[in-house]
Amino acid sequence: MPVPARIRDGLAKRLSGTGPDGRSVLLTAACTRRFTVGLLRCAATAGTVRQLLGGGAADGTGAAPGARLARLSADGDPVSRTVENALAAGVLVADEGGVRLRFAHPLFACALYAGATAAERLDAHARLGAVTADRAERARHLALSGTEPDEGVAAFVTAAAEEIARRGAPDAAAALARLAAARTPARFTGRRCERLLAGAGHAYAAADHELCRELALAAAADADTPGRHVRARILVITAADQALSGLDEVFAEAFAHAGDAPHDRAHLHYLRACKAHIADGDTAVTWAEADRAATQARRGGDRTTEVLALALQAFVGTLLGRTDATEPLVRALALPQDTGPTCHNGPRAIKARLDFFADRLTEASDELDGLLHRAKTADDAEDTVFLLCAAIDVEVRAGRCGRAMAAAREALCRARELGAHLGQACYAAAVAEAAGGDLNRAAALAHESVRVADAERDLIYLPLALCLLGQVRMRAGDAAAAVDCLSRARAIARRRGIVDPVPVPWPSDLAEALIAAGEHERAAAVIDEVRDTTLRLGRTGAAMSLLRAEALLRAGSGDLAGAVSDLREAAERHQSLGLPLEHGRDLLALGAVERRRRHVTAALTCWQDAAAVFERAEARPWLDGARAAMHRFAHVEDAAGGGDATPAVPWRSLTPAEDRVARMAGDGATNREIAARLFLSAKTIESTLTRVYRKLGIRSRAELVGLFRHTADEPRSAPRR
């Protein structure tokens, strides 16, 4: 790492009294990750003995090896003295037991390492390699203790890399494999290429895509067989992660070297299907390439690639609205499934996604719970992030917003640790926030997801993020911005050939945003465009959401009775499907239409019912919206003095007991005082006031007092009995 000048200067001041031997001890410490006084003492002694046995020259201090060994003996223990001085100077710190040491700041180690000569660094690594017990650490020091090729060292380091990879440390294994390749003599071209390929594989497993690409490109340059050429280019492609555009030449080279080998061709066709799906947005090509991949994999006996290709084929077939879309998934699930770590693109994960599209939420949730358990047990961070994001969609649609928020926090945390897929994690977190958190945070996260997807040309998550951002902006009252976002999502879905209205859910929200913006003709065109397809594909939940938009359109044209009928049907069907948020949205819209009909009590009842639905779902932003609708209505109607035979002020919705408690609280009485006057418990008063707040669309005693004062001079009818 580059070391800032202030760190170098600060370290120099702290070490101003340290002699050459002390600096050598600290350099040795800087060369290793974990050290103790005992290790540093062994390394110092090993270095002196090695120089004596090898007849080495002076060590940079001006003293011959024999004289230095004598001085070490005469001085007692210079290593302990150096450590004590470094601890006192704040260069080193010890753990609670005082055994293990570390640098007070990582850059101190970097500064020491950067300030040493090449010969000093080589010597420090050689001394550590002679005394370090851990095989992987010893291999690293041996690899760094020389500059000339050495097959013996390269082989030892390679074996250590494989061992540490089996122990679950792919990042360290990749670093060792890189060192092994660097120490491999030029005449062993095949061995060097295999070591580079192994290192690239370890780097990919560690999500270090930059190192994976670097090692894979080096392997491609060294490759001496068609198989190695193909493996190297496959690693280059996979290292691109979701940024797959611009890889046509790499694919062409890989196919040229693959020849007729079915295993290699299957893998390449699958990757080309992924590229068409993610980067090119060509769903039809994705279907065709996935079909070729499955066929070639079946010929080559590659079951893993076959089930992945079949699962992808089923997914894109669903997007295309094909009648045979599920047939590949049935075939994939009929094959024996791998018992190891799962894959977020595997058939079981795709089945969960298709269950979600069809509103089979219990099946989707059960499937994802099992897959998440396997991914976490295997410590597969990438799969865990993808599966958490899929689970958030299911939890929100099922009205479990609290669980969605918890999953969103975990997904974001894991994505940041992984350093990848942050755009997708931002999108999933935005979904959770829009349903159960904060609309402002949802907007910020959705905007970030759009930015990342745009930058990476990710045509999967870009339209999804645009749909969510459009919905959030519509709920915030900016209909024009909502129309812009949702229209862009619609254009991308059309360009990708996506027919199913659920995977990219733009239709109902775009229609509602157009109605809010006063563009009724465009809204009607949107509804007409997707209504038949929604019904043909059996997307009942989406069809009812579209019916809600159609009802609002009818209300806008003056057909209020027809709008009420449609909204009641949508609300009943959404409730029966187990879609609480959609049910609540129907009730909010129904309340607004009933208000226009001057059916005040019916409007209030709808909004109260919507608030109850959202409260059970922990859908806080939607709950706030329902309460705000009731509160605005109360003030507007009260200021206008009512408008029909039914009193407009929301006190009408309270029971006699609730009305008494509300009047006393509005007059300023405390819960204890109210309880004493009514001969009730304080807990009963508290629960009664909670119901009062919900019915009146308020959240606190202060709002109750304000509402009471605002309506104190107006006549109030008797409460409902």
Side-chain angles (χ1 to χ4, degrees), residues 448-458 462 466 488 492:
E448 176 65 9
S449 184
V450 169
R451 186 193 65 77
V452 172
D454 252 335
E456 295 183 353
R457 294 186 60 183
D458 181 352
L462 178 57
L466 285 167
R488 188 178 168 198
I492 295 171

Side-chain angles (χ1 to χ4, degrees), residues 580-591:
L581 299 195
E582 291 301 310
H583 179 214
R585 291 180 66 176
D586 299 332
L587 292 172
L588 285 179
L590 182 57

Side-chain angles (χ1 to χ4, degrees), residues 277-289:
H277 181 47
I278 296 169
D280 301 340
D282 196 327
T283 310
V285 169
T286 304
W287 169 277
E289 286 293 326

Side-chain angles (χ1 to χ4, degrees), residues 350-434:
I350 295 300
K351 178 183 180 300
R353 199 69 183 158
L354 299 189
D355 283 338
F356 167 72
F357 292 162
D359 288 327
R360 295 188 293 267
L361 301 182
T362 300
E363 293 91 331
S365 183
D366 290 346
E367 196 74 74
L368 288 170
D369 284 347
L371 293 174
L372 265 169
H373 176 74
R374 285 176 58 187
K376 290 180 179 180
T377 300
D379 197 24
D380 191 324
E382 183 178 15
D383 267 357
T384 298
V385 170
F386 272 100
L387 293 168
L388 281 169
C389 292
I392 288 166
D393 282 336
V394 176
E395 299 290 4
V396 165
R397 193 149 177 83
R400 297 187 290 264
C401 299
R403 290 178 59 175
M405 289 292 292
R409 287 190 291 270
E410 183 179 356
L412 275 176
C413 180
R414 286 179 177 266
R416 290 190 182 104
E417 291 173 356
L418 189 63
H421 311 303
L422 194 57
Q424 181 196 357
C426 282
Y427 165 73
V431 171
E433 288 284 353

